[in-house]
């Protein structure tokens, strides 16, 4: 049986047992997570699964020291290992990053993989999102991988935001489809406005 001291140490490293996760599954998740972080390509080959995106550009530890400090301050957690990579594959135009949840074959284990736009390596994305802030946001999703709580998930993640507006209003949007619907409605609105302007002209 895992000791309280060991549980606290793992918690500090970013491995938190979920409400429906027994000890064996929890320890197996940690083991598989570390294997995937060490060699993601071999991990997916052994699982007979397709990689969600390319793993050519890993984000090295020194680049996410600010993230560890931010999470330590907010949640008393300082992740020692994260599977984080630069890649633009499969990201929507409005997405600066994404957390992929990999279901391990023949088990109830879920492993997180974090993806960030290459542009974030040098400058903010859309003049708003910096790598440090997004890393902290996505790291919270990664830490909470064993929790199936979509209604509160974004509330915890947006607690890491440095902007008050994003911290308060960010959790309103929980799905990519909601953003796409918003942009579609905005586009339709402007189209109708332009049509109305042209139809009201008398040449």
């Amino acid at each position: 049986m895992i000791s309280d001291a060991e549980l606290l140490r793992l918690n500090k490293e970013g491995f938190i047992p979920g409400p429906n996760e027994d000890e064996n599954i929890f320890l197996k998740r940690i083991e598989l997570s570390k294997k995937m972080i060490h060699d993601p390509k071999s991990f997916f080959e052994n699982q007979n699964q397709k990689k969600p995106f390319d793993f050519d550009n890993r984000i090295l530890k020194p680049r996410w020291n600010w993230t560890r400090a931010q999470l330590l301050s907010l949640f008393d957690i300082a992740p020692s290992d994260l599977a984080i990579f630069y890649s633009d594959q499969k990201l929507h135009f409005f997405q600066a990053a994404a957390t992929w949840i990999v279901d391990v074959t023949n088990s109830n284990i879920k492993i997180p993989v974090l993806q960030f736009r290459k542009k974030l390596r040098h400058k903010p994305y859309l003049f708003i999102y910096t790598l440090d802030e997004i890393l902290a946001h996505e790291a919270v999703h990664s830490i909470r991988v064993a929790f199936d709580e979509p209604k509160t998930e974004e509330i915890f993640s947006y607690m890491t935001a440095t902007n008050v507006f994003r911290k308060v209003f960010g959790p309103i949007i929980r799905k990519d489809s909601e953003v796409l619907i918003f942009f579609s409605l905005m586009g339709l609105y402007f189209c109708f406005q332009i049509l109305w302007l042209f139809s009201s002209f008398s040449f």
Side-chain angles (χ1 to χ4, degrees):
M1 183 175 177
I2 190 169
S3 66
D4 290 344
E6 180 70 4
L7 193 61
L8 287 171
R9 184 186 66 79
L10 292 170
N11 182 91
K12 195 100 171 183
E13 291 182 6
F15 295 109
I16 304 175
N20 300 315
E21 192 175 38
D22 64 36
E23 184 177 318
N24 291 331
I25 294 292
F26 174 56
L27 294 174
K28 187 67 176 176
R29 174 164 66 86
I30 295 171
E31 178 190 341
L32 290 173
S33 295
K34 291 185 176 181
K35 283 183 180 178
M36 197 274 294
I37 291 166
H38 177 69
D39 191 351
K41 293 181 181 178
S42 296
F43 175 83
F44 279 93
E45 286 174 2
N46 293 335
Q47 291 294 318
N48 293 318
Q49 292 190 40
K50 187 178 179 182
K51 295 183 296 182
F53 59 91
D54 64 83
F55 297 136
D56 297 329
N57 297 305
R58 187 188 291 268
I59 302 177
L60 302 177
K61 279 188 180 181
R63 187 60 186 85
W64 39 285
N65 281 336
W66 184 90
T67 296
R68 297 179 77 246
Q70 177 81 335
L71 295 177
L72 186 64
S73 172
L74 287 170
F75 306 116
D76 195 32
I77 292 172
S80 57
D81 290 298
L82 290 172
I84 49 180
F85 303 87
Y86 290 115
S87 175
D88 294 338
Q89 283 187 340
K90 300 180 183 179
L91 291 177
H92 295 298
F93 73 94
F94 56 83
Q95 284 183 300
T99 297
W100 296 84
I101 306 300
V102 178
D103 291 311
V104 177
T105 309
N106 300 323
S107 72
N108 295 320
I109 299 172
K110 296 179 179 180
I111 308 293
V113 186
L114 280 58
Q115 175 186 7
F116 298 84
R117 282 198 181 273
K118 293 178 181 178
K119 186 177 287 187
L120 287 166
R121 190 197 304 257
H122 306 294
K123 57 183 178 180
Y125 186 64
L126 299 177
F127 306 103
I128 300 173
Y129 305 107
T130 64
L131 178 61
D132 288 328
E133 184 172 334
I134 299 171
L135 256 172
H137 179 102
E138 299 298 336
V140 173
H141 288 310
S142 175
I143 291 164
R144 288 175 50 80
V145 69
F147 292 79
D148 186 16
E149 300 175 348
K151 290 185 179 180
T152 56
E153 187 67 28
E154 293 299 335
I155 294 173
F156 287 105
S157 294
Y158 274 102
M159 286 175 68
T160 62
T162 55
N163 180 280
V164 175
F165 181 86
R166 287 198 294 278
K167 188 173 291 195
V168 175
F169 294 101
I172 293 172
I173 297 172
R174 299 199 299 262
K175 298 178 182 177
D176 295 345
S177 58
E178 294 172 346
V179 179
L180 292 170
I181 290 169
F182 171 77
F183 280 116
S184 299
L185 291 173
M186 288 294 292
L188 285 171
Y189 171 78
F190 284 115
C191 287
F192 279 125
Q193 287 293 315
I194 292 168
L195 288 171
W196 181 82
L197 285 171
F198 277 107
S199 63
S200 63
F201 284 148
S202 54
F203 294 97

